């Protein structure tokens, strides 16, 4: 199907949104609980005469602990992923892999946008089990996060997305963003006439409602320039925004297999869409119903859905096959017990306040009036006929039962969250041996690792797409241009910058993000450190220091990483002796002149120091050999 009719695309997108309404209401209740809202609504509180209405944040704390575990697992490793090259000879493949991995991860680690993208995905994973992100175009390497509520996929879609044939993303444009689309004109699929008309409509509406802050009232023809210069005025909340459905679908029409794109204005939902409504809170855009805001036509925008959107799943569902809309998150599974625990604690605190209230027994209305006049404070006096109700005659709550219920709910919360966070909960205060604590910690961590393995797998798919985008030749992305120039300058041949030759592996942290277990593992390795090779001993020591200090910079400062000797540096060491003996060496093509020059200069400097230390042993042949080395260096400088 080609989806060439705008009204058909708009109707389908609206039906997808309607089908998601029930799920959206459930997500809203989950958000409310973990955001700290009280368990009773104001209507429920008044109806049930509830006087203590507090969220005790147990669920919020559990989710923050789970997020911290995922943050450590994904952000703490020195590299997001390791790129391995399938290339001959093997030593060159190892060298190129190290350079490419280091350069890409250096850019990614410094990117605030990607850091926030991972934070958003992890938060959505823990809260709703699905963490989506979207690439803005076909070339930029860094995706941006999007809410679960803004992704619409058909029912019965598997989490593998193998049966996904179309989906929609809900996007919102401000006026400055629409003007920027007109000015850049990077994509020929935009309907510029419709965009200009929408801008004019929204600008007129803004002038009518916010005239006090809009300049040039009598120059409507300058609206685009005004929006560009006064973008901050047009970007605040009172200015209307354009909601659109960004629709993608798989098509094999005309023997072109791939994903195509359509974009329609959301003219269905929200206030102001009904022209007969008495009060309009946004401009009338009904004329956009029969037009595409953007269409790729027969052009393919992506070969695979993973080039458009990336999903991170943290699914705890018990029913297979696992489907997108059947994902069960930690927040979903803990919702009921956390909600009940909040209500139980509210009633408990109400009982405490009631127990603190003094009760009086009165016989008539006159006693009540006298009771109002007395002051209950230190050394106070009360009338003789007023009597306190003693504790034995008051309603007594079963404190043991309440305590048991509170502890039982806490145990359930801990057990159900053990798949995401390590738990060594010991409510009875039983003293345990070191072996028992380590055994319980390892059992809990094994559950956490199962969730992290799922996260690492889906994260690897995202890393593969990011890596592919870094290898796009002539990419307009400045980070990609910087990466390409850097690796080519370091001797990586352009022929290996082909994603088909590389495999990506997400770097996993020791201990699954649990610092206590991480330190315990490195302590065990430190105990057998002497059995390793010298290089491995240095790695164990550096990682142990990093686990203790949680600072990679300090660990590298205390235990600096040894410089890896490249083939070019080894070659420079070998040929230095031949040049000192007067040999005339030819220079081959493809050699790394910079590293060879650095190696020869280093060896020559060491030889000069020896000559200065023992000038009596200096021979004429040594001077001739040094001059031969200098001449060879100059030849390579010219080539460089």
């Amino acid at each position: 199907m080609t989806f060439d009719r705008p009204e058909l695309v708009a109707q389908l997108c609206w039906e997808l949104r309607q089908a998601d309404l029930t799920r959206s209401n459930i997500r809203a209740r989950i958000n409310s609980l973990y955001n700290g809202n009280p368990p009773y609504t104001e209507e429920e509180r008044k109806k049930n005469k509830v006087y203590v209405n507090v969220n005790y944040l147990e669920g919020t704390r559990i989710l923050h602990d789970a997020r911290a575990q995922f943050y450590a697992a994904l952000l703490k490793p020195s590299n997001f992923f390791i790129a391995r090259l399938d290339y001959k000879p093997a030593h060159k493949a190892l060298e190129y892999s190290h350079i490419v991995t280091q350069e890409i991860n250096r850019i990614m680690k410094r990117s605030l946008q990607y850091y926030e993208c991972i934070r958003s995905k992890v938060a959505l994973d823990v809260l709703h089990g699905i963490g989506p992100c979207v690439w803005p175009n076909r070339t930029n390497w860094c995706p941006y996060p999007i809410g679960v509520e803004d992704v619409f996929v058909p029912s019965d879609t598997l989490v593998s997305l193998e049966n996904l044939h179309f989906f929609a993303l809900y996007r919102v444009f401000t006026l400055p963003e629409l003007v920027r689309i007109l000015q850049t004109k990077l994509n020929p699929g935009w309907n510029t006439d419709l965009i200009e008309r929408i801008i004019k409509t929204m600008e007129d509406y803004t002038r009518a409602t916010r005239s006090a802050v809009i300049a040039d009232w009598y120059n409507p023809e300058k609206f685009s320039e005004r929006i560009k210069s006064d973008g901050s005025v047009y970007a605040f909340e009172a200015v209307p925004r354009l909601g659109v459905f960004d629709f993608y679908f798989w098509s094999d029409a005309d023997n072109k297999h791939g994903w195509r794109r359509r974009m329609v204005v959301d003219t269905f939902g929200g206030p102001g869409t009904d022209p007969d409504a008495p009060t309009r809170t946004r401009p009338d855009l009904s004329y956009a119903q029969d037009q595409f805001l953007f269409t790729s036509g027969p052009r393919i925008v992506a070969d695979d859905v993973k080039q458009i959107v990336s999903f991170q799943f943290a699914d705890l569902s018990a029913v297979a096959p696992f489907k997108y809309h059947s994902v069960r998150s930690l927040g979903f599974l803990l919702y009921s017990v956390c909600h009940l625990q909040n209500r139980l604690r509210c009633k408990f605190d109400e009982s405490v306040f009631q127990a603190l209230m003094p009760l009086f027994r009165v016989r008539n209305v006159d006693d009540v009036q006298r009771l109002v006049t007395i002051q209950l404070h230190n050394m106070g006096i009360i009338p003789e006929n007023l009597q306190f109700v003693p504790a034995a005659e008051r309603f007594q709550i079963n404190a043991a039962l309440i305590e048991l219920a509170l502890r039982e709910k806490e145990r359930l919360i801990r057990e159900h969250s053990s798949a995401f966070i390590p738990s060594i909960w010991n409510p009875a205060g039983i003293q345990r041996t070191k072996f028992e604590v380590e055994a319980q910690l390892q059992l809990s961590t094994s559950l956490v690792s199962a969730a992290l393995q799922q996260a690492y797998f889906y994260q690897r798919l995202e890393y593969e797409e990011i890596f592919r985008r870094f290898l796009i030749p002539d990419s307009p992305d400045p980070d990609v241009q910087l990466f390409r120039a850097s690796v080519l300058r370091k001797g990586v041949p352009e022929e290996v910058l082909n994603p088909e030759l590389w495999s990506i592996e997400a770097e996993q942290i020791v201990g699954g993000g649990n610092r206590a277990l991480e330190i315990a593992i490195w302590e065990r390795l430190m105990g057998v450190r002497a059995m390793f090779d010298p290089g491995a001993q240095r790695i164990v020591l550096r990682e142990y220091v990093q686990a203790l200090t949680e600072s990679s910079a300090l660990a590298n400062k205390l235990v600096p990483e040894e410089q890896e000797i490249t083939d070019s540096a080894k070659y420079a060491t070998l040929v230095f002796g031949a040049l000192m003996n007067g040999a005339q060496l030819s220079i081959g093509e493809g050699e790394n002149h910079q590293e060879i020059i650095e190696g020869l200069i280093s060896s020559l400097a060491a030889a000069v120091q020896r000559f200065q230390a023992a000038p009596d042993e200096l021979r004429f042949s040594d001077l001739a050999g040094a001059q031969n080395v200098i001449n060879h260096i100059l030849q390579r400088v010219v080539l460089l």
Side-chain angles (χ1 to χ4, degrees):
M1 196 169 185
T2 57
F3 290 99
D4 290 331
R5 294 167 52 198
E7 61 275 11
L8 175 61
V9 173
Q11 182 64 36
L12 181 57
C13 291
W14 180 248
E15 290 176 358
L16 289 173
R17 170 184 263 186
Q18 287 290 97
D20 196 58
L21 185 59
T22 301
R23 294 184 288 264
S24 181
N25 289 330
I26 294 175
R27 290 193 297 265
R29 293 166 61 186
I30 294 175
N31 292 344
S32 176
L33 172 68
Y34 296 109
N35 273 335
N37 292 345
Y40 296 95
T41 64
E42 185 62 20
E43 181 181 353
E44 290 175 331
R45 188 191 68 78
K46 292 179 178 179
K47 181 179 180 181
N48 296 286
K49 298 181 179 180
V50 175
Y51 297 99
V52 177
N53 188 21
V54 178
N55 189 323
Y56 294 87
L57 303 180
E58 286 178 292
T60 304
R61 176 174 53 82
I62 290 293
L63 261 61
H64 277 293
D65 290 343
R67 286 166 59 176
Q69 185 89 357
F70 273 77
Y71 290 153
L74 297 178
L75 297 174
K76 190 175 180 180
S78 56
N79 294 318
F80 285 115
F81 62 84
I82 299 173
R84 305 189 189 279
L85 175 62
D86 183 11
Y87 188 74
K88 300 296 181 181
H91 66 279
K92 284 292 184 183
L94 184 62
E95 178 184 351
Y96 298 155
S97 299
H98 177 74
I99 294 173
V100 170
T101 299
Q102 186 181 43
E103 290 300 317
I104 287 185
N105 282 277
R106 180 176 61 84
I107 294 174
M108 294 176 64
K109 283 287 184 178
R110 293 178 178 178
S111 173
L112 176 62
Q113 181 181 348
Y114 191 62
Y115 171 79
E116 289 299 328
C117 179
I118 290 183
R119 283 211 327 132
S120 297
K121 289 174 58 179
V122 168
L124 288 173
D125 270 344
V126 175
L127 192 61
H128 299 302
I130 305 173
C133 65
V134 181
W135 278 275
N137 51 50
R138 299 193 68 176
T139 55
N140 284 24
W141 72 266
C142 187
Y144 65 90
I146 187 172
V148 181
E149 68 277 5
D150 292 331
V151 180
F152 305 109
V153 301
S155 301
D156 296 327
T157 299
L158 300 173
V159 294
S160 62
L161 307 182
E162 59 189 88
N163 61 340
L164 179 65
H165 302 295
F166 60 85
F167 66 96
L169 307 174
Y170 193 78
R171 302 180 60 184
V172 177
F173 290 103
T174 62
L175 276 175
E177 289 173 335
L178 292 175
V179 173
R180 196 175 303 118
I181 291 173
L182 288 180
Q183 292 174 340
T184 55
K185 297 180 180 179
L186 294 178
N187 198 322
W190 291 102
N191 186 343
T192 56
D193 293 337
L194 178 59
I195 294 177
E196 289 178 354
R197 186 175 179 184
I198 290 174
I199 291 176
K200 182 64 170 61
T201 301
M202 297 175 70
E203 194 268 354
D204 288 340
Y205 176 85
T206 303
R207 282 195 296 109
T209 57
R210 306 292 297 182
S211 58
V213 294
I214 304 300
D216 297 331
W217 174 270
Y218 297 104
N219 295 283
E221 70 276 6
K222 296 182 179 179
F223 67 91
S224 62
E225 289 300 319
R226 186 164 60 252
I227 293 172
K228 182 175 67 174
S229 61
D230 297 334
S232 60
V233 174
Y234 284 87
F236 60 84
E237 293 182 357
V239 178
R241 288 166 168 77
L242 181 67
V244 301
F245 290 106
D246 201 357
F247 183 75
Y248 295 86
F249 64 98
W250 170 265
S251 175
D252 56 1
D254 302 326
N255 293 325
K256 295 180 180 179
H257 299 266
W259 287 84
R260 309 186 189 192
R261 184 183 183 188
R262 307 285 188 263
M263 191 181 296
V264 293
V265 177
D266 176 19
T267 58
F268 286 89
T273 56
D274 183 7
D276 298 326
T279 303
R280 303 192 56 81
T281 58
R282 75 176 191 179
D284 180 15
L285 300 176
S286 57
Y287 56 81
Q289 291 179 353
D290 58 348
Q291 300 182 65
F292 283 123
L293 186 70
F294 174 91
T295 175
S296 65
R299 181 165 49 90
I300 301 298
V301 299
D303 299 321
D304 194 294
V305 67
K306 298 180 181 65
Q307 298 176 6
I308 304 172
V309 60
S310 172
F311 292 99
Q312 172 68 267
F313 291 105
D315 186 15
L316 300 180
S317 176
V319 180
F322 302 109
K323 298 180 180 181
Y324 181 92
H325 291 302
S326 298
V327 168
R328 291 296 177 260
S329 64
L330 178 65
F332 180 93
L333 296 180
L334 290 182
Y335 173 83
S336 297
V337 65
C338 288
H339 193 73
L340 181 60
Q341 182 80 326
N342 277 327
R343 294 198 173 200
L344 182 60
R345 288 190 181 277
C346 287
K347 296 300 292 183
F348 174 77
D349 284 341
E350 275 193 16
S351 299
V352 172
F353 281 112
Q354 290 173 3
L356 294 175
M357 292 173 56
L359 297 181
F360 293 89
R361 182 178 287 111
V362 296
R363 298 185 181 88
N364 50 49
V365 178
D366 294 336
D367 289 346
V368 175
Q369 294 298 328
R370 281 192 293 269
L371 180 61
V372 174
T373 62
I374 68 173
Q375 298 182 8
L376 298 176
H377 52 79
N378 187 33
M379 305 295 291
I381 299 175
I382 63 174
E384 182 178 2
N385 56 346
L386 290 180
Q387 299 178 4
F388 284 98
V389 178
E393 299 180 12
R394 299 181 62 167
F395 171 75
Q396 301 290 328
I397 64 172
N398 191 335
L401 181 62
I402 297 297
E403 182 180 358
L404 176 63
L406 291 173
R407 288 177 54 185
E408 179 67 12
K409 301 299 180 296
E410 185 176 353
R411 181 187 66 81
L412 288 174
I413 293 173
R414 284 289 175 183
E415 286 185 355
H416 293 330
S417 62
S418 61
F420 281 82
I421 59 175
S423 175
I424 52 175
W425 187 58
N426 186 15
I430 301 175
Q431 191 170 10
R432 292 173 175 158
T433 64
K434 180 181 178 181
F435 176 79
E436 290 174 333
V437 172
E438 288 185 353
Q440 185 179 6
L441 186 60
Q442 290 179 5
L443 175 62
S444 177
T445 304
S446 66
L447 296 174
V448 176
S449 298
L452 289 178
Q453 288 300 324
Q454 183 182 159
Y456 278 130
F457 179 84
Y458 286 104
Q459 197 64 26
R460 178 181 61 81
L461 300 179
E462 179 177 308
Y463 292 152
E464 288 177 349
E465 176 58 20
I466 290 176
F467 185 80
R468 185 192 69 83
R469 289 170 177 259
F470 265 103
L471 299 191
I472 295 177
D474 302 323
S475 172
D477 191 317
D479 287 338
V480 176
Q481 295 174 359
L482 178 65
F483 158 76
R484 197 173 190 88
S486 180
V487 297
L488 292 177
R489 185 172 61 251
K490 291 185 177 182
V492 177
E494 191 167 3
E495 64 184 24
V496 306
L497 298 181
N498 180 357
E500 300 295 331
L501 302 177
W502 296 82
S503 60
I504 304 300
E505 178 182 348
E507 185 166 334
Q508 302 185 17
I509 191 172
V510 174
N514 179 11
R515 185 165 180 258
L517 186 61
E518 181 185 6
I519 294 176
I521 292 174
W522 288 116
E523 283 181 345
R524 295 285 181 89
L525 291 175
M526 286 291 292
V528 294
R529 178 168 167 259
M531 303 174 62
F532 295 113
D533 294 333
Q537 292 182 23
R538 195 175 190 85
I539 293 174
V540 171
L541 179 59
R542 183 172 60 253
E543 295 295 335
Y544 177 59
V545 172
Q546 181 172 342
L548 288 176
T549 62
E550 289 194 305
S551 172
S552 57
L554 180 59
N556 289 328
K557 184 177 181 180
L558 297 177
V559 191
E561 186 175 356
E562 291 182 329
Q563 282 279 356
E564 184 178 348
I565 302 177
T566 63
D567 293 340
S568 298
K570 294 177 183 178
Y571 175 78
T573 304
L574 294 175
V575 302
F576 178 77
L579 292 171
M580 288 294 293
N581 291 328
Q584 300 296 321
L585 301 179
S586 58
I587 300 176
E589 295 183 1
E591 294 179 344
N592 192 330
H593 300 300
Q594 181 174 343
E595 290 189 357
I596 294 176
I597 290 171
E598 291 173 351
L600 291 175
I601 291 176
S602 178
S603 299
L604 183 61
V608 170
Q609 290 179 354
R610 291 197 304 270
F611 297 157
Q612 291 175 340
D616 297 337
E617 300 179 3
L618 181 63
R619 298 171 300 175
F620 179 78
S621 60
D622 295 329
L623 295 177
Q627 185 61 48
N628 190 31
V629 173
I630 293 174
N631 292 336
H632 187 80
I633 291 175
L634 291 176
Q635 294 176 20
R636 290 188 177 272
V637 169
V638 172
L639 293 176
L640 182 63

